[in-house]
Amino acid sequence: MRRSERKKSNKRNVVLFSALGAVLLALLFLPKDALLMGGEEKSATKEKNQEPKHKVVKLQPDNESAYEKDEDKEANSGDKAKKQEPSEEIGIDPEKETDKKKKAEKAKKAEAEKKKQQASGDKPVLNKPIGTSQTGPHTSSYDEGSVDWNEKLKAIRLATGLDENMTVWKIGNGGSPQKSVAEVSPNKQPNEKYTVNLEWVDEKGWMVTSVQK
């Protein structure tokens, strides 16, 4: 009995080894492409299983809206800059501007008086005292801005028809304490000079005796 059992087991082992050998030979002779394809299919399946079920998609910001926001910011910053700007222009001297306005108003007033005088038919005042605010003994004054100086200028303007902007080249003694001579010209016209002779009349003021152009 033991010998028959051993023979059976030996036969089984031979059959098993033969089957294993056949499988190994089949694997050796299988094409490599088939093996590679099998591996790729396994890796693809593995990757597919690892992918998330739900993809999260990030939306890009609206470029146009962002651009509009930037423009709004720039506009607001520009408005702020305008509010912070000084009210006066740089480089302008307020005092000079005031002087210019005063001179312009003065010239305008003188021109209006001249036109009024021309319209009324008034002629230059010659050989007629213009009147005075001075009292007592008279002393001729050549100090600019004094009462006597200003009355001389008034008599010259009335006799020549020039306005307050006339250029005064000189006012000096005319040969005696109560006589004066002046050289004047229209404003910014130095080539057009007038020589004016004046004479004082007591209690009546200065009187122009002659005008030479």
Side-chain angles (χ1 to χ4, degrees):
M1 292 292 291
R2 288 180 181 177
R3 287 181 182 178
S4 61
E5 289 178 359
R6 286 179 183 174
K7 286 181 181 181
K8 287 180 181 180
S9 62
N10 288 334
K11 286 181 179 180
R12 289 175 186 167
N13 290 334
V14 171
V15 172
L16 289 172
F17 283 122
S18 298
L20 287 172
V23 171
L24 289 173
L25 288 173
L27 291 173
L28 288 174
F29 288 102
L30 278 174
K32 294 182 180 180
D33 294 340
L35 293 174
L36 291 173
M37 288 176 65
E40 289 177 356
E41 288 177 358
K42 290 181 180 179
S43 61
T45 303
K46 186 176 181 181
E47 288 178 1
K48 188 175 181 181
N49 292 332
Q50 290 177 354
E51 287 183 358
K53 292 181 180 180
H54 300 284
K55 291 185 179 181
V56 178
V57 179
K58 292 184 179 180
L59 296 175
Q60 294 295 329
D62 190 349
N63 292 333
E64 187 175 355
S65 299
Y67 179 74
E68 290 176 355
K69 289 180 181 179
D70 291 340
E71 282 190 340
D72 292 340
K73 289 181 180 178
E74 290 179 0
N76 293 332
S77 62
D79 292 338
K80 290 180 181 178
K82 287 181 180 177
K83 290 179 181 178
Q84 292 174 357
E85 287 180 356
S87 57
E88 294 183 358
E89 294 182 5
I90 298 172
I92 295 177
D93 190 347
E95 292 182 359
K96 290 183 179 180
E97 288 295 313
T98 303
D99 292 340
K100 286 181 180 179
K101 289 180 180 179
K102 287 182 179 179
K103 288 180 180 179
E105 289 176 358
K106 190 175 181 182
K108 189 176 180 180
K109 185 177 179 181
E111 186 66 23
E113 289 179 357
K114 185 178 179 181
K115 288 181 179 179
K116 184 178 179 182
Q117 182 180 353
Q118 291 174 351
S120 63
D122 293 339
K123 295 180 180 180
V125 179
L126 291 172
N127 300 315
K128 182 179 178 180
I130 63 167
T132 182
S133 62
Q134 301 179 64
T135 59
H138 175 260
T139 301
S140 185
S141 174
Y142 297 97
D143 295 330
E144 291 186 22
S146 65
V147 174
D148 194 66
W149 174 273
N150 289 335
E151 288 185 353
K152 285 186 179 80
L153 293 179
K154 182 179 178 181
I156 292 168
R157 288 197 302 270
L158 290 173
T160 60
L162 300 177
D163 58 24
E164 293 182 354
N165 293 319
M166 69 180 180
T167 301
V168 179
W169 298 100
K170 75 170 186 178
I171 299 178
N173 188 290
S176 71
Q178 303 302 327
K179 290 184 179 181
S180 295
V181 60
E183 285 187 2
V184 297
S185 67
N187 186 31
K188 297 180 180 180
Q189 298 181 37
N191 296 326
E192 191 177 340
K193 288 185 179 180
Y194 293 84
T195 300
V196 182
N197 290 286
L198 303 98
E199 185 177 345
W200 176 260
V201 179
D202 288 337
E203 298 181 359
K204 293 183 179 180
W206 286 100
M207 174 180 69
V208 175
T209 59
S210 67
V211 177
Q212 293 179 350
K213 187 175 180 180

